[in-house]
Amino acid sequence: MMEKQALPASSCSLVLLEETKKSPITLSNGGGGSGYAPAAANGSLVPLTVAGTGVAGGVVGTACVGQDKKGGVVNGVGPGYQERETWTRQMDFIMSCVGFAVGLGNVWRFPYLCYKNGGGVFLIPYLLIVFVGGIPIFFLEISLGQFMKAGSINVWNIAPLFKGLGYASMVIVFFCNTYYIMVLAWGFYYLIKSFTATLPWSSCNNEWNTPSCIEIFHHQDCKNASFANITVGSSNMTCADLADARSPIIEFWENKVLSISSGLDEPGKMNWELILCLMAVWVLVYFCVWKGVKSTGKIVYFTATFPYVVLIILLVRGVTLPGAYDGIMYYIKPDWSKLEEAQVWIDAGTQIFFSYAIGLGALTALGSYNRFNNDCYKDAFILALINSGTSFFAGFVVFSILGFMAAEQGVDISQVAESGPGLAFIAYPKAVSLMPVAPLWAALFFFMLLLLGLDSQFVGVEGFVTGILDLFPGKYYHRYKREIAVAICCLLCFIIDLSMVTQGGMYVFQLFDYYSASGMTLLWQAFWECIVVAWVYGADRFMDDVARMIGYRPFPWMKWCWSFITPCVCMGIFLFHLVNYKPLTYNNVYVYPWWGEVIGWCLALSSMLCIPVSLLYKLFRAKGTFKERWAHLTTPVWGAHHLEYMAPDIKSLSSMSPGTDDNKVIIFESVM
């Protein structure tokens, strides 16, 4: 049936044998094919010269890959294999990346870090690390996806020995998808509760409130210690009692929403209202993702842009409130002494890796749906500008409101400034309850929160599903393959999420947040991405490949960052985190038990160990000397679209007649 033709004496020959009963490959120009612009000096893709055809349609070609003699195995994509989807418009890709990368961290984490680390001064380390870490890796992930036309696992066919990087990113994004949606469930719950004449968290007259609840803290009446026993306000509390008093919003959050137990070892019962909210959000995510990028690309136009409309409305409202000016000045006032503290630089680096969504594999998946010639270099800078600009802009919105809240309560802004869920579900709702027409502003804020998180969530699910589906080639084609894969993914995550809607659910949520997709795991991932592309595949070689895609060579700064600067930044921050590791606590009071920390480290190591374990396994399984194993396992495995660019004179492989198993493209790697 199949014949293997004689090979020219080349150490990196590629043989394409195609056997078909109906239509052999047609060659133009008499069967000779020359490639595109010669840029093979550093081992990038080179022209594939077609030697000839036989009766059976066998095609023999050679492709020697530069001076390092690294060839590439080509993955044949024959009949029955679907061509990869592409974005309907390039703007779909931009909006999806904005939707994914611009999320809750931009609104609830960056402003707090900016205030905590010296106000406007924080922008110096932040912008510096954007250019030496954020943009280079952001560009690397998008361009790698676009070049390899594959999700987070198969994209590492560029150096198959390091495919563990793909598995690691899949583990991280799976954990992210699992716990991140809880924030959306809580936001959805608050949104529903906002549609009332009086906000339920604005008063102490509810069933979940305790005797310690107090609506207005009269701190100004208690500044003099001699008045310690004087009753303040109408609450019949003395100044001494104020230390233990609790705000109605904290009681609503802890007693009503979370019904929080005393610790991780007391899961308690499930909150059925939260389960319904969780189910509703997962259903929403499913129907956003199930049809692939064609539908996702349309939905993000709304989910990515509307939060900006709400942010502008909230800013206009915020700056007109008393105390807003003080809040904004507190946010941007520079404290130059902070630049001497290492923690400021670490916070800047960690925030960039979080907010740029680096290391999750989802950016790679989004890039894989681009046209091969899309200018991803320009896209990376546009997206970085939008991401960091949104973070800075959101700070004005948040601190104008916090300034008003501090003025209303007569306390310093440092006492009301929060980050993370504390800002979203305690500080902001409290501020909103002090405004006229409070339900309107509450509904607007939580609707924005929902949209900000929703597009990050469904692009994360899209990235995970893309990686999974890439593992099953076209011969496993099923009409509803994607829909079934998305359904299984959503269902599995939902089942794990049930542990987070119990009374001990907040402790489980924090475990996932602190360990599974923490700064350490993302930094470890980013470090290895740079090492593999720059040192194993070759930075110059990849720059050549990028030049083939976008038509010009990026500024050498990118190559220097991938090779030296970014890995050093990543490893430096990683080691700082490791040395300054502190056990996880809840509200700085509850300390997790030892077995809770063990679970957390298992979550972290489940992704981090994928890289060394996979590498060692492949090396031990291979045959030959170490040098031969290394050479074989770091040889790229090219896809069919690379063949098209190696041999543009061969007509599209997809034009071949659909056939069965005995009518397919098979590629052999020469052993000569």
Side-chain angles (χ1 to χ4, degrees):
M1 282 294 290
M2 191 180 300
E3 59 182 39
K4 190 167 182 178
Q5 304 202 9
L7 294 172
S10 164
S11 63
C12 47
S13 298
L14 291 176
V15 183
L16 167 62
L17 290 178
E18 188 277 333
E19 183 170 340
T20 176
K21 296 173 182 173
K22 297 180 182 177
S23 55
I25 296 179
T26 310
L27 299 175
S28 58
N29 302 327
S34 63
Y36 34 78
N42 295 304
S44 55
L45 289 180
V46 295
L48 176 71
T49 307
V50 179
T53 59
V55 178
V59 182
V60 180
T62 66
C64 218
V65 190
Q67 297 168 350
D68 59 356
K69 301 297 181 192
K70 283 187 182 178
V73 184
V74 183
N75 250 355
V77 177
Y81 284 70
Q82 286 182 298
E83 194 175 335
R84 195 172 189 83
E85 281 185 292
T86 54
W87 301 103
T88 310
R89 297 179 201 81
Q90 194 49 36
M91 199 62 183
D92 295 0
F93 166 69
I94 297 288
M95 296 309 273
S96 294
C97 284
V98 168
F100 182 61
V102 177
L104 299 170
N106 300 70
V107 174
W108 76 16
R109 198 163 183 270
F110 176 84
Y112 176 77
L113 288 178
C114 203
Y115 132 76
K116 185 176 83 116
N117 292 313
V121 167
F122 183 65
L123 292 177
I124 295 172
Y126 179 84
L127 290 174
L128 195 64
I129 297 177
V130 161
F131 284 103
V132 301
I135 294 176
I137 302 184
F138 195 85
F139 171 55
L140 175 67
E141 291 199 359
I142 291 174
S143 57
L144 200 56
Q146 183 173 312
F147 178 63
M148 295 300 290
K149 288 274 182 208
S152 54
I153 295 178
N154 280 357
V155 77
W156 295 105
N157 280 338
I158 201 165
L161 177 60
F162 292 89
K163 226 170 181 180
L165 267 166
Y167 296 114
S169 67
M170 291 288 280
V171 172
I172 296 172
V173 83
F174 177 76
F175 286 146
C176 255
N177 293 340
T178 302
Y179 83 86
Y180 190 84
I181 202 162
M182 281 309 302
V183 180
L184 306 188
W186 294 327
F188 191 53
Y189 184 82
Y190 270 81
L191 179 63
I192 293 167
K193 294 290 183 182
S194 299
F195 293 106
T196 53
T198 307
L199 294 174
W201 56 81
S202 61
S203 69
C204 289
N205 306 323
N206 305 289
E207 58 178 345
W208 57 83
N209 294 124
T210 64
S212 304
C213 181
I214 181 172
E215 291 177 25
I216 301 173
F217 289 75
H218 295 264
H219 289 288
Q220 64 273 20
D221 297 339
C222 297
K223 285 182 180 174
N224 191 329
S226 62
F227 294 120
N229 294 319
I230 292 179
T231 303
V232 292
S234 57
S235 59
N236 295 325
M237 280 191 179
T238 64
C239 289
D241 295 330
L242 272 185
D244 300 319
R246 288 160 64 85
S247 153
I249 177 60
I250 290 178
E251 294 211 333
F252 177 77
W253 170 239
E254 291 193 346
N255 299 351
K256 174 64 176 165
V257 181
L258 300 178
S259 302
I260 197 161
S261 68
S262 61
L264 185 64
D265 52 348
E266 286 185 37
K269 62 180 189 297
M270 289 187 179
N271 184 331
W272 289 102
E273 288 179 312
L274 271 185
I275 289 177
L276 292 174
C277 290
L278 182 66
M279 198 180 293
V281 179
W282 266 122
V283 168
L284 204 57
V285 169
Y286 176 77
F287 286 108
C288 286
V289 177
W290 71 322
K291 288 297 182 187
V293 294
K294 299 291 185 188
S295 61
T296 308
K298 304 295 176 290
I299 296 161
V300 288
Y301 277 90
F302 176 69
T303 59
T305 55
F306 192 75
Y308 289 97
V309 176
V310 179
L311 277 173
I312 291 167
I313 294 170
L314 290 173
L315 178 65
V316 171
R317 177 65 187 131
V319 295
T320 58
L321 294 167
Y325 176 77
D326 294 331
I328 290 171
M329 289 313 295
Y330 209 82
Y331 169 52
I332 59 173
K333 185 181 177 183
D335 177 2
W336 296 98
S337 65
K338 290 281 188 181
L339 285 178
E340 300 169 7
E341 297 177 19
Q343 187 62 49
V344 174
W345 295 81
I346 301 304
D347 281 347
T350 309
Q351 171 60 15
I352 285 159
F353 282 90
F354 269 122
S355 68
Y356 278 50
I358 286 164
L360 300 174
L363 292 174
T364 308
L366 293 179
S368 73
Y369 296 116
N370 278 336
R371 299 184 324 276
F372 190 79
N373 298 113
N374 172 59
D375 191 347
C376 51
Y377 184 60
K378 182 184 70 179
D379 290 347
F381 281 93
I382 292 170
L383 290 165
L385 180 66
I386 293 171
N387 195 323
S388 297
T390 303
S391 297
F392 190 60
F393 174 68
F396 289 94
V397 180
V398 169
F399 272 85
S400 63
I401 303 289
L402 292 180
F404 159 72
M405 184 175 164
E408 282 290 299
Q409 295 186 354
V411 295
D412 190 69
I413 293 172
S414 60
Q415 290 183 253
V416 296
E418 292 265 8
S419 79
L423 173 70
F425 302 114
I426 296 174
Y428 210 99
K430 173 64 180 171
V432 162
S433 68
L434 301 172
M435 295 183 193
V437 205
L440 170 66
W441 301 109
L444 258 181
F445 174 74
F446 287 112
F447 186 56
M448 177 196 73
L449 200 73
L450 198 60
L451 291 181
L452 272 176
L454 195 61
D455 45 19
S456 297
Q457 179 71 25
F458 66 63
V459 174
V461 173
E462 172 68 55
F464 181 77
V465 171
T466 298
I468 293 293
L469 291 180
D470 281 352
L471 293 177
F472 297 96
K475 62 183 175 182
Y476 296 106
Y477 175 71
H478 183 278
R479 186 178 174 187
Y480 298 110
K481 183 168 75 170
R482 162 172 276 278
E483 288 86 339
I484 293 167
V486 175
I488 292 170
C489 171
C490 292
L491 187 63
L492 192 59
C493 290
F494 176 76
I495 291 168
I496 298 172
D497 285 333
L498 291 177
S499 65
M500 299 182 205
V501 292
T502 60
Q503 288 176 287
M506 188 59 178
Y507 303 111
V508 179
F509 173 84
Q510 273 209 318
L511 267 183
F512 272 82
D513 185 42
Y514 194 74
Y515 290 101
S516 68
S518 64
M520 281 177 64
T521 54
L522 299 180
L523 289 161
W524 176 256
Q525 184 78 2
F527 170 79
W528 281 107
E529 284 181 10
C530 291
I531 293 297
V532 172
V533 170
W535 295 101
V536 178
Y537 181 72
D540 282 317
R541 189 178 177 187
F542 189 64
M543 288 287 272
D544 287 341
D545 297 334
V546 170
R548 287 179 189 286
M549 290 194 294
I550 65 177
Y552 60 93
R553 198 175 174 84
F555 189 63
W557 173 254
M558 287 293 171
K559 182 180 72 176
W560 302 334
C561 283
W562 295 336
S563 303
F564 306 105
I565 304 170
T566 308
C568 290
V569 168
C570 291
M571 193 43 67
I573 301 174
F574 176 83
L575 292 174
F576 184 90
H577 272 291
L578 207 56
V579 171
N580 293 283
Y581 169 75
K582 292 183 181 70
L584 179 59
T585 60
Y586 176 72
N587 272 355
N588 296 320
V589 177
Y590 173 74
V591 180
Y592 277 67
W594 67 269
W595 54 269
E597 279 199 68
V598 169
I599 293 171
W601 276 107
C602 286
L603 292 173
L605 292 173
S606 62
S607 64
M608 292 169 71
L609 288 178
C610 283
I611 301 165
V613 168
S614 165
L615 184 147
L616 292 173
Y617 175 76
K618 287 184 180 237
L619 278 176
F620 280 119
R621 291 273 296 175
K623 293 177 181 176
T625 64
F626 178 79
K627 190 175 181 182
E628 288 168 345
R629 295 181 196 196
W630 179 269
H632 173 67
L633 290 170
T634 54
T635 300
V637 179
W638 301 126
H641 68 286
H642 292 116
L643 259 188
E644 186 182 333
Y645 288 88
M646 288 180 196
D649 290 330
I650 300 181
K651 291 189 177 178
S652 174
L653 294 176
S654 59
S655 65
M656 292 190 293
S657 60
T660 54
D661 284 341
D662 58 353
N663 174 22
K664 61 175 69 171
V665 178
I666 300 172
I667 306 298
F668 291 96
E669 181 191 11
S670 165
V671 292
M672 296 182 65

